[in-house]
Amino acid sequence: MAAVWSAQYSDVSSSSVMAVHPSSEASHRAGQSGSVRHADPFQATDHESRMNGNNSNNNSGQPHVPVKTEQPADIKVEIVNVLCNFKTHCHLDLRTIAMQGANVEWRRDPSSVLMKLRSPPITSTIWSTGKVICMGARSEADALIGARRIARNLQKCGFKLRFVDFQVKNVLGVVSLPFGVRIDRLKDEYPREVSYEPELHPAASWRVPETGGQLQIFQTGSLSVTAPNVAAAQRTFDILHPRLRQFSKPKEAPSMAAASRARKAAPVPDKPSSSAKRQKGLKGDVKPVPSPVDSDDMDWDESVVLSAD
């Protein structure tokens, strides 16, 4: 009987121990250690911390805010001139072109003919050997269209030519930076790459062998880019732009020459007419000229007259 009672008692005690909630066991252990930790309702869980990008050991409870890195300004090079050429594979009579062509000019000293287009704005130089050089376009597409129109005008003059070997030789672009450039410090930092002769030219020259382009740098932040094509010009600027930013300075005030040009460009007020001047004199701003007095009304001083005689 005693054995059966002890077995039942052991079963009941084990079941009671198993029925204890795990939290009570944790609190009991915390009480034994001498400190009780309460759960923070505002503390993020490990899963939320991983979702927010925080470390699981960070108990600050603040949400993760991504840091925004400053990206460089996307500055595009403005193309102002594209130089290209093509060949006709036939002899061109310059006198015939000068007599029958439109918008042409015959130059005797270098034996050539200038032909101009209005749209796109292109000026072409035509040689008797069949080579034609075009300049003035603002893009490579406009240069191709203008060159083909020049070839069509030559065909209308009676020449059986072919439009072949079209090539873009050189492009010129300009960029205006939002800051000035310290050219002297730039020259000291890159003495081999930068060529700067202030006695000869106010700009520093920087050639990039990777793209075949060249950059003319002015202290005011104005740049001129010369490259074999448009893509090379933009790449040349993208390579040197971060280096130029390291030597930036605030832009200077406009010079006296720029101020004088702005003063000349300002509208000139109209000059007041003679009637306006007359009205101004009547108002008292300008004293009117006294009218001549008759000699009979004047009182002569006889002593003065006698002494004069």
Side-chain angles (χ1 to χ4, degrees):
M1 233 8 226
V4 173
W5 181 83
S6 62
Q8 292 178 356
Y9 180 76
S10 62
D11 294 338
V12 173
S13 61
S14 63
S15 62
S16 61
V17 172
M18 294 298 293
V20 177
H21 196 271
S23 61
S24 62
E25 185 180 358
S27 61
H28 177 68
R29 292 179 180 177
Q32 290 179 355
S33 62
S35 61
V36 179
R37 294 182 181 179
H38 299 281
D40 188 1
F42 298 99
Q43 183 177 356
T45 61
D46 294 342
H47 177 69
E48 293 176 352
S49 299
R50 287 192 298 268
M51 292 296 292
N52 293 331
N54 295 334
N55 190 2
S56 59
N57 298 327
N58 185 13
N59 297 327
S60 61
Q62 298 179 357
H64 174 69
V65 179
V67 179
K68 295 182 179 180
T69 58
E70 184 179 357
Q71 299 293 337
D74 187 11
I75 303 178
K76 298 295 183 182
V77 178
E78 182 184 359
I79 304 299
V80 297
N81 188 17
V82 177
L83 179 65
C84 62
N85 61 2
F86 67 93
K87 297 180 181 179
T88 59
H89 280 190
C90 71
H91 178 77
L92 300 177
D93 188 5
L94 301 181
R95 185 178 181 86
T96 302
I97 298 173
M99 296 297 293
Q100 300 181 7
N103 299 327
V104 295
E105 178 183 353
W106 187 11
R107 290 188 173 182
R108 291 180 177 271
D109 188 9
S111 185
S112 61
V113 174
L114 295 182
M115 182 178 291
K116 298 183 179 181
L117 295 179
R118 181 174 296 178
S119 178
I122 284 181
T123 301
S124 62
T125 304
I126 305 171
W127 307 87
S128 61
T129 57
K131 184 177 181 179
V132 182
I133 301 175
C134 303
M135 63 181 67
R138 297 300 182 92
S139 64
E140 294 182 357
D142 290 346
L144 177 60
I145 293 173
R148 293 184 67 87
R149 288 183 179 178
I150 293 293
R152 179 64 66 182
N153 292 339
L154 294 178
Q155 284 183 347
K156 292 180 180 179
C157 294
F159 300 100
K160 297 181 179 180
L161 56 87
R162 292 185 299 168
F163 183 81
V164 294
D165 296 342
F166 173 80
Q167 294 180 354
V168 176
K169 290 294 184 180
N170 195 2
V171 298
L172 175 64
V174 295
V175 181
S176 180
L177 297 177
F179 53 85
V181 181
R182 302 182 187 274
I183 300 181
D184 51 352
R185 297 185 181 179
L186 182 67
K187 171 63 177 176
D188 296 340
E189 185 68 20
Y190 302 96
R192 296 185 178 181
E193 294 83 356
V194 179
S195 175
Y196 180 48
E197 297 293 340
E199 296 84 1
L200 302 178
H201 196 268
S205 177
W206 193 332
R207 184 179 297 275
V208 181
E210 294 82 358
T211 60
Q214 185 176 0
L215 200 65
Q216 296 286 337
I217 309 167
F218 294 86
Q219 293 185 0
T220 59
S222 300
L223 310 178
S224 61
V225 189
T226 306
N229 49 58
V230 177
Q234 183 64 42
R235 187 184 173 193
T236 301
F237 172 75
D238 293 341
I239 291 174
L240 300 183
H241 180 232
R243 303 182 185 181
L244 296 178
R245 186 176 290 274
Q246 299 176 0
F247 304 92
S248 62
K249 66 175 182 178
K251 279 201 169 184
E252 300 178 357
S255 60
M256 298 182 61
S260 63
R261 287 195 298 268
R263 191 163 51 249
K264 291 180 180 179
V268 180
D270 297 336
K271 294 182 179 180
S273 59
S274 57
S275 60
K277 292 181 180 179
R278 196 177 301 110
Q279 292 293 334
K280 187 176 180 180
L282 293 177
K283 289 180 181 179
D285 296 338
V286 179
K287 294 182 179 180
V289 179
S291 58
V293 183
D294 192 3
S295 59
D296 297 336
D297 299 334
M298 295 179 62
D299 295 333
W300 294 91
D301 191 356
E302 295 180 358
S303 60
V304 174
V305 173
L306 293 175
S307 62
D309 295 340

